[in-house]
Amino acid sequence: MPYLFTSESVSEGHPDKVADQISDAILDAMLAQDPDSRVACETMVTTGLVVVAGEVTTKAFVDIQEVVRNTIKRIGYTEQGLGFDADSCAIMVALHSQSPDIAQGVNEGEGVDKEQGAGDQGMMFGYATRETDEMMPMPLAFSHRILKKLSDIRNKKEIMTYLKPDAKSQVTIEYDDNGKAMRVHTVVVSTQHADGVSRETIERDVRNTVIPQVIPAHLIDAGTKFHINPTGKFVIGGPHGDSGLTGRKIIVDTYGGKGAHGGGAFSGKDPSKVDRSAAYAARHIAKNLVAAGVCDEVLVQVAYAIGIARPVSVVVNTYGTSKVNLTDGQISDKINEIFDLRPKAIIDRFGLKNPIYSPSASYGHFGRPSEEKDVETNYVNVSENNGVKTEVRTRAMKKVRFFGWEALDHVEKVKAAFGL
């Protein structure tokens, strides 16, 4: 029997995403100076106020106020009189050092397990499907595409000049009995706008300018429903409309409700936190399995004990789409042979000590292009001689890979392991 599945996305101007982007901007600023920084940075935003709190151990010196204001400016909250803007908002900072009890379980050579252990217990999931080119669920992929297109239009300031930063989208896909996407059932878009713009104008522009560029025409028919700014008005938005918190959009960040989620958020966390790094590794495994032809859809779960390097369990679910003559349990065993899932190995494989996280804080951590870019680093080295500490900084441009966990760099290894 056909069924419906729905996923949503939110824009970079959504208050929860503002908080995520601030947390990751602070993380990146610290990693750009000290790649061994331990960071767990939480942000709360509301009318005229940003609160930054958490645990940080680093040699970096970061002007938190400057990072916060620059992030808010980049998002687009620059107009005064709207309740929240980069220049006038108050900023409170309450950061302190990481607990030494946690640190000894993560630091190499300390704790019970002398390898670098997991920063916490927990389970993380990775998912992939052939449903879209980015190997992401179609409802979420389309939801992200709508908002990224709205953001591009807003930033170019050529058409739809009434657009403001806050926006949400939601797409419902109708699937057949075999789980194949048949059509777009419903599209919901709510976008913040300047006062005085009619809902009819916004609906016309979204349907005629945005939707045709991001959703294939053959999936839309006369029965597709559109709800564009259905409340009728969306002038008050962003942190002035609703308070925002880091880590409150974990389903938007991952797979839109497909697969599963272990509950741990990503933004503001350095890669010693397996909530983030192991979730990236699980996605990498899932995507390479599908790309190699092992299956058409897969969910990978990995779980850890705090302070222990090797995962306590690794398991896959191919949803009956496996193309190899192995059980899911046997596929899981082969994953352990192909992929090193110790935290240090994950960090090294994807270059996770680099300042690469800010782009992931909006429009999803997965399904993004893996690409190399140059970033500026200003590494700090502190030496001590006869009780006198000397700080030396080395400024340089460094080529780093963003979204390395999206790379299909293990396909041949997977094919060889499975005889494909």
Side-chain angles (χ1 to χ4, degrees):
M1 181 177 179
Y3 65 93
L4 305 177
F5 194 90
T6 302
S7 297
E8 71 160 352
S9 182
V10 298
S11 73
E12 75 262 41
H14 185 281
D16 292 331
K17 282 286 128 193
V18 174
D20 281 344
Q21 288 167 93
I22 290 172
S23 291
D24 268 341
I26 292 170
L27 170 63
D28 278 346
M30 292 182 177
L31 291 175
Q33 297 182 39
D34 177 8
D36 294 319
S37 295
R38 296 283 169 77
V39 181
C41 180
E42 314 291 344
T43 303
M44 188 276 287
V45 294
T46 187
T47 301
L49 178 64
V50 177
V51 178
V52 177
E55 300 78 47
V56 170
T57 300
T58 182
K59 293 183 288 186
F61 176 80
V62 173
D63 186 336
I64 302 294
Q65 296 250 349
E66 181 181 36
V67 172
V68 171
R69 295 191 194 281
N70 286 343
T71 302
I72 297 169
K73 285 179 184 177
R74 179 185 54 77
I75 293 168
Y77 288 113
T78 57
E79 297 180 53
Q80 294 187 1
L82 294 181
F84 187 84
D85 70 89
D87 292 328
S88 68
C89 67
I91 301 172
M92 295 177 58
V93 181
L95 296 170
H96 59 89
S97 61
Q98 182 185 49
S99 162
D101 295 346
I102 296 175
Q104 74 171 5
V106 179
N107 296 338
E108 284 189 86
E110 299 181 25
V112 176
D113 189 340
K114 300 306 179 185
E115 294 187 78
Q116 178 176 336
D120 201 353
Q121 69 177 47
M123 61 284 190
M124 303 83 207
F125 292 90
Y127 176 85
T129 174
R130 291 195 186 279
E131 213 166 86
T132 60
D133 290 342
E134 53 265 63
M135 297 188 184
M136 292 289 286
M138 188 177 288
L140 181 64
F142 287 177
S143 295
H144 284 328
R145 291 179 195 177
I146 290 169
L147 294 186
K148 282 190 281 188
K149 179 56 64 175
L150 277 174
S151 179
D152 290 343
I153 292 171
R154 175 174 61 86
N155 287 317
K156 288 180 180 177
K157 300 179 181 179
E158 296 173 354
I159 58 173
M160 299 176 71
T161 55
Y162 53 79
L163 291 174
K164 301 298 181 183
D166 196 359
K168 300 181 76 172
S169 62
Q170 182 175 285
V171 175
T172 301
I173 300 295
E174 184 175 347
Y175 292 86
D176 65 17
D177 293 340
N178 298 315
K180 183 179 179 180
M182 296 191 299
R183 58 185 290 271
V184 175
H185 180 276
T186 304
V187 175
V188 183
V189 179
S190 294
T191 181
Q192 186 185 12
H193 58 87
D195 203 2
V197 181
S198 69
R199 192 198 69 81
E200 291 74 20
T201 295
I202 298 170
E203 177 169 7
R204 180 198 67 212
D205 290 347
V206 169
R207 292 188 62 169
N208 295 340
T209 303
V210 178
I211 300 299
Q213 297 188 61
V214 294
I215 298 180
H218 72 275
L219 292 173
I220 296 176
D221 56 35
T224 299
K225 301 175 184 177
F226 292 89
H227 301 293
I228 312 299
N229 277 34
T231 67
K233 186 178 181 180
F234 187 3
V235 173
I236 299 173
H240 183 44
D242 291 289
S243 60
L245 293 170
T246 299
R248 206 160 59 176
K249 284 292 175 282
I250 58 176
I251 301 302
V252 171
D253 282 345
T254 52
Y255 307 105
K258 277 289 184 81
H261 198 294
F266 300 152
S267 289
K269 294 179 179 178
D270 75 84
S272 71
K273 281 74 170 171
V274 286
D275 276 343
R276 184 170 213 163
S277 54
Y280 291 172
R283 161 64 176 177
H284 182 245
I285 294 169
K287 190 175 181 182
N288 278 268
L289 286 175
V290 171
V294 174
C295 50
D296 291 333
E297 181 183 16
V298 66
L299 180 69
V300 177
Q301 186 208 54
V302 58
Y304 292 86
I306 188 170
I308 305 300
R310 296 190 180 277
V312 299
S313 65
V314 178
V315 65
V316 305
N317 180 357
T318 61
Y319 302 97
T321 69
S322 174
K323 308 298 182 184
V324 296
N325 190 27
L326 296 172
T327 66
D328 285 355
Q330 290 170 320
I331 294 173
S332 302
D333 291 340
K334 283 191 174 292
I335 285 174
N336 266 321
E337 298 171 7
I338 303 168
F339 298 92
D340 190 340
L341 289 168
R342 292 173 295 174
K344 186 178 186 303
I346 294 171
I347 290 167
D348 291 343
R349 183 155 67 243
F350 303 130
L352 297 182
K353 288 187 176 183
N354 291 308
I356 58 173
Y357 296 101
S358 290
S360 70
S362 54
Y363 306 114
H365 293 247
F366 308 120
R368 309 285 291 274
S370 177
E371 55 190 357
E372 287 189 339
K373 294 181 181 179
D374 289 326
V375 299
E376 184 177 32
T377 58
N378 190 17
Y379 290 147
V380 182
N381 183 41
V382 179
S383 60
E384 185 171 346
N385 186 21
N386 295 326
V388 178
K389 291 185 178 180
T390 303
E391 179 183 286
V392 177
R393 290 180 173 267
T394 305
R395 188 181 297 274
M397 297 301 295
K398 182 181 182 182
K399 190 175 290 294
V400 301
R401 178 162 291 279
F402 288 78
F403 299 100
W405 49 94
E406 290 294 315
L408 295 176
D409 54 359
H410 275 57
V411 170
E412 295 308 316
K413 289 183 180 179
V414 172
K415 286 182 175 180
F418 286 92
L420 296 171

